[in-house]
Amino acid sequence: MKKRIFLMVLISLFIIPHGTCSAGVDRKNCIGCVFPEDLPYLPDICKYTWDGLYRDVYETGFVYSKGRAETVLKGKPKYRRLYAYYKKFGSDLQHMHHFCRGLKRLREAQSIVGENSRQRDYAFSKAIGEMDYVLKNSTPGFRLRPNIMLKQSKIYYMWGKYPEAVTRSYAIITKWKKFVPAYLYLSQILSLQGERGEAKRIIQLGLK
């Protein structure tokens, strides 16, 4: 019996990849990465990013080539949802794990209370930084850019950085004039800060 247990332990040492999650992310060397236990608290798309459930598929390089994606993903039920996201966002999908990491950092910041203000500031700054990575590396036409910037605006406001929150929202409505959520949020935070005249102007601008 003891010999059998010893053999099972020995086999596990060589076969089971300790320190990694089911998606293959090394926990020790990837601080801030998204792991399986984080996924229930994140948007659906996070399951299908580099940190998600199909890291092995990303390593085939499908995301860099439409032809490669068709070969690797199309017609395979297991990858149906992943393929749908690729069809929608193209090669920019390869950067979205940083957005998901940013959301994880935001949850960390929101969970920190009391005297740990430095830790909270660090988590907020990391959340912004992860999302900045997506904005800097994705193509100009990436359709989620205004959504990501709006999330950054909300993070800045939660962080207590009102000027940055307002500036980011103004940048959205300047570039994406039909992105209604940005008008609504900007008007809301302006109103909360007592700038009701400007808040009303923003709403009227959004209605044009």
Side-chain angles (χ1 to χ4, degrees):
M1 183 65 178
K2 289 183 179 180
K3 184 177 179 180
R4 183 180 177 185
I5 294 174
F6 173 77
L7 286 172
M8 290 175 67
V9 172
L10 186 63
I11 290 170
S12 71
L13 290 173
F14 289 98
I15 294 178
I16 299 175
H18 294 279
T20 63
C21 71
S22 60
V25 179
D26 189 327
R27 291 175 181 268
K28 184 178 180 181
N29 297 317
C30 194
I31 298 172
C33 287
V34 171
F35 299 115
E37 62 269 24
D38 301 313
L39 293 174
Y41 306 99
L42 299 173
D44 181 70
I45 193 173
C46 294
K47 298 175 185 175
Y48 305 96
T49 65
W50 185 269
D51 283 358
L53 304 175
Y54 303 105
R55 190 182 184 93
D56 57 328
V57 183
Y58 273 87
E59 290 173 349
T60 67
F62 82 88
V63 79
Y64 305 113
S65 163
K66 182 178 180 181
R68 183 70 173 155
E70 298 287 325
T71 301
V72 174
L73 304 176
K74 189 176 181 181
K76 299 177 182 177
K78 180 180 178 181
Y79 304 135
R80 180 182 60 82
R81 190 70 172 155
L82 176 58
Y83 182 64
Y85 277 121
Y86 175 79
K87 292 287 285 183
K88 191 172 185 178
F89 302 121
S91 62
D92 288 318
L93 184 62
Q94 67 182 295
H95 306 302
M96 280 300 288
H97 60 290
H98 286 281
F99 175 72
C100 299
R101 291 179 186 184
L103 294 178
K104 178 178 177 177
R105 289 294 194 176
L106 173 59
R107 291 188 70 245
E108 290 175 10
Q110 292 174 312
S111 70
I112 297 170
V113 294
E115 302 296 321
N116 298 317
S117 60
R118 290 180 65 182
Q119 282 182 276
R120 190 167 180 267
D121 287 346
Y122 178 78
F124 273 130
S125 68
K126 282 292 186 181
I128 293 291
E130 291 285 5
M131 295 180 190
D132 273 338
Y133 180 95
V134 184
L135 297 173
K136 290 175 182 177
N137 290 277
S138 59
T139 61
F142 183 34
R143 61 198 299 179
L144 289 181
R145 292 180 75 87
N147 303 76
I148 294 170
M149 290 176 67
L150 181 59
K151 192 65 181 181
Q152 286 183 314
S153 180
K154 293 179 178 181
I155 292 171
Y156 276 127
Y157 194 81
M158 284 184 275
W159 192 2
K161 294 185 177 292
Y162 170 71
E164 289 87 346
V166 169
T167 298
R168 189 53 54 104
S169 288
Y170 272 118
I172 300 169
I173 64 173
T174 299
K175 187 171 180 60
W176 293 278
K177 300 187 186 303
K178 295 184 178 181
F179 190 68
V180 175
Y183 289 95
L184 295 174
Y185 184 69
L186 178 56
S187 177
Q188 179 185 7
I189 59 178
L190 286 168
S191 183
L192 288 171
Q193 294 297 317
E195 301 180 48
R196 290 183 172 80
E198 179 64 0
K200 183 178 179 181
R201 188 187 76 83
I202 293 297
I203 287 294
Q204 292 172 336
L205 192 63
L207 292 173
K208 289 183 179 180

